[in-house]
């Protein structure tokens, strides 16, 4: 069983949610659980429906007409054609960091955004590779699958809590501590699983993007430039080696990487080099 399978991860998220719910305190009444379920459902719906607008505001993204940015429109149109999908709406971001994003659960009603700094940093082939990566997210329906996983976990948590209220009451102090510990462990596992899911989506989008643009080397080159980019003008490229790090530091960095939403640039480049 592969942990990068979307159905497997959704099932695990639901299972962990149910486990959290089963550790709920007996004092929780069903009316309170119903209210929590309603609030959770509303939060999932609002996140799914309004998340795009929040992202646009945070990234200072705006739609850009073709006459204002013919280079970007040409690249997006070409990559969409290669991906066999309708050309998405094209946005530009007013942020200093070179970055790109995609949103939309329907490939026919999607948005791709690119920052001005990314357009300046990369050549046409590299920009095309980055755009193809974003189209890979759209093709894979990553936003939809993430929303389904979050909703399944919420439903399972409330369902488990509801079943818990039907059991016998009167847990001992020792049993109560055991249940609290299990709840914390389950929630931590759920967090790590959600982050793992996001990292898997990034890797899948890299592979899909490399196939769409047909040039894994261009995506590797783009990632290397993004990895070495520094906000200070004229600064030297960052050293990716870190060869002087102690074993303890390397282990700590490895553990902290489990909390990242994205896999490391080095890991992404290694995967793509296997395709090149």
């Amino acid at each position: 069983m592969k942990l990068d399978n979307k159905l497997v991860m959704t099932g695990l998220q639901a299972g962990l949610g149910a486990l959290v719910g089963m550790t709920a305190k007996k004092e929780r009444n069903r009316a309170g659980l119903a209210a929590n379920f309603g609030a959770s459902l509303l939060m999932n719906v609002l996140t799914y429906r309004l998340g795009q607008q929040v992202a646009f505001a945070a990234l200072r993204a705006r739609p850009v007409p073709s006459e204002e940015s013919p280079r970007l429109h040409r690249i997006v149109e070409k990559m969409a054609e290669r991906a066999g999908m309708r050309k998405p709406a094209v946005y530009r971001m007013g942020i200093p960091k070179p970055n790109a994003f995609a949103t939309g659960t329907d490939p026919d009603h999607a948005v791709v955004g690119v920052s001005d700094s990314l357009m300046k940093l990369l050549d046409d082939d590299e920009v095309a590779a980055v755009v193809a990566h974003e189209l890979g997210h759209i093709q894979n329906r990553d936003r939809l699958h993430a929303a389904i996983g979050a909703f399944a976990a919420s439903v399972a948590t409330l369902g488990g809590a509801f079943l818990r209220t039907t059991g016998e009451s009167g847990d001992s102090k020792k049993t109560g501590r055991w249940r609290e510990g299990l709840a914390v462990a389950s929630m931590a596992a759920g967090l790590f699983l959600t982050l793992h899911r996001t990292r898997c989506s990034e890797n899948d989008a890299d592979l899909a993007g490399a196939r769409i643009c047909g040039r894994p080397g261009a995506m590797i080159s783009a990632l290397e430039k993004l990895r070495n980019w520094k906000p200070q003008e004229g600064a030297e490229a960052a050293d990716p080696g870190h060869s002087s790090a102690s074993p303890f530091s390397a282990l700590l960095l490895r553990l902290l990487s489990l909390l990242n939403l994205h896999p490391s640039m080095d890991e992404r480049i290694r995967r793509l080099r296997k395709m090149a």
Side-chain angles (χ1 to χ4, degrees):
M1 181 179 69
K2 294 185 68 177
L3 193 54
D4 59 353
N5 182 281
K6 291 181 173 63
L7 290 177
V8 170
M9 284 190 282
T10 297
L12 287 173
Q13 283 180 285
L16 288 168
L19 193 58
V20 171
M22 290 297 289
T23 61
K25 292 183 178 181
K26 292 280 187 186
E27 291 75 15
R28 299 288 294 276
N29 59 58
R30 295 185 181 184
L33 291 175
N36 282 343
F37 176 76
S40 177
L41 177 61
L42 179 62
M43 183 61 66
N44 277 283
V45 171
L46 289 177
T47 300
Y48 180 73
R49 299 294 298 179
L50 302 179
Q52 180 171 290
Q53 285 71 23
V54 173
F56 288 169
L59 297 171
R60 289 184 288 169
R62 62 177 180 86
V64 59
S66 58
E67 57 270 18
E68 182 178 329
S69 186
R71 178 189 175 209
L72 177 56
H73 272 269
R74 183 177 66 252
I75 291 172
V76 173
E77 184 173 13
K78 181 179 179 180
M79 290 300 102
E81 182 179 350
R82 289 182 62 91
M85 59 187 289
R86 180 185 299 177
K87 178 186 175 184
V90 179
Y91 277 56
R92 292 285 286 272
M93 292 186 286
I95 59 174
K97 183 177 180 180
N99 206 345
F101 76 91
T103 186
T105 56
D106 181 358
D108 290 332
H109 301 88
V111 174
V112 168
V114 178
S115 68
D116 292 336
S117 53
L118 185 138
M119 297 294 293
K120 294 176 182 177
L121 178 67
L122 306 182
D123 63 30
D124 282 9
D125 288 339
E126 293 162 346
V127 173
V130 172
V131 169
H133 167 96
E134 301 304 331
L135 295 181
H137 278 303
I138 297 169
Q139 276 192 335
N140 295 338
R141 299 180 184 270
D142 287 329
R143 185 165 173 259
L144 176 62
H145 287 294
I148 291 173
F151 180 71
S154 296
V155 171
T157 300
L158 272 297
F162 181 84
L163 291 175
R164 171 82 171 129
T165 64
T166 64
E168 295 181 1
S169 58
D171 282 343
S172 66
K173 186 176 293 186
K174 182 178 180 180
T175 302
R177 286 196 296 267
W178 179 84
R179 286 186 179 278
E180 289 173 0
L182 181 59
V184 171
S186 300
M187 287 186 285
L191 171 61
F192 280 105
L193 182 62
T194 300
L195 296 174
H196 174 74
R197 179 174 203 148
T198 304
R199 291 193 296 271
C200 286
S201 296
E202 288 300 317
N203 285 327
D204 290 344
D206 276 345
L207 300 179
R211 288 192 294 268
I212 290 170
C213 72
R215 298 192 61 183
M219 186 169 290
I220 292 171
S221 176
L223 291 176
E224 288 175 337
K225 287 184 178 180
L226 292 171
R227 178 190 62 188
N228 296 333
W229 176 83
K230 275 189 173 183
Q232 297 85 1
E233 187 174 342
E236 295 182 2
D239 178 14
H242 303 296
S243 57
S244 61
S246 67
F248 175 77
S249 298
L251 176 61
L252 181 60
L253 290 172
R254 180 62 179 170
L255 292 174
L256 290 175
S257 70
L258 296 176
L259 296 174
N260 290 333
L261 288 173
H262 289 67
S264 69
M265 288 292 193
D266 290 337
E267 178 186 344
R268 295 171 68 182
I269 291 170
R270 280 195 299 270
R271 287 174 177 267
L272 288 166
R273 279 180 175 155
K274 294 179 181 178
M275 294 182 63

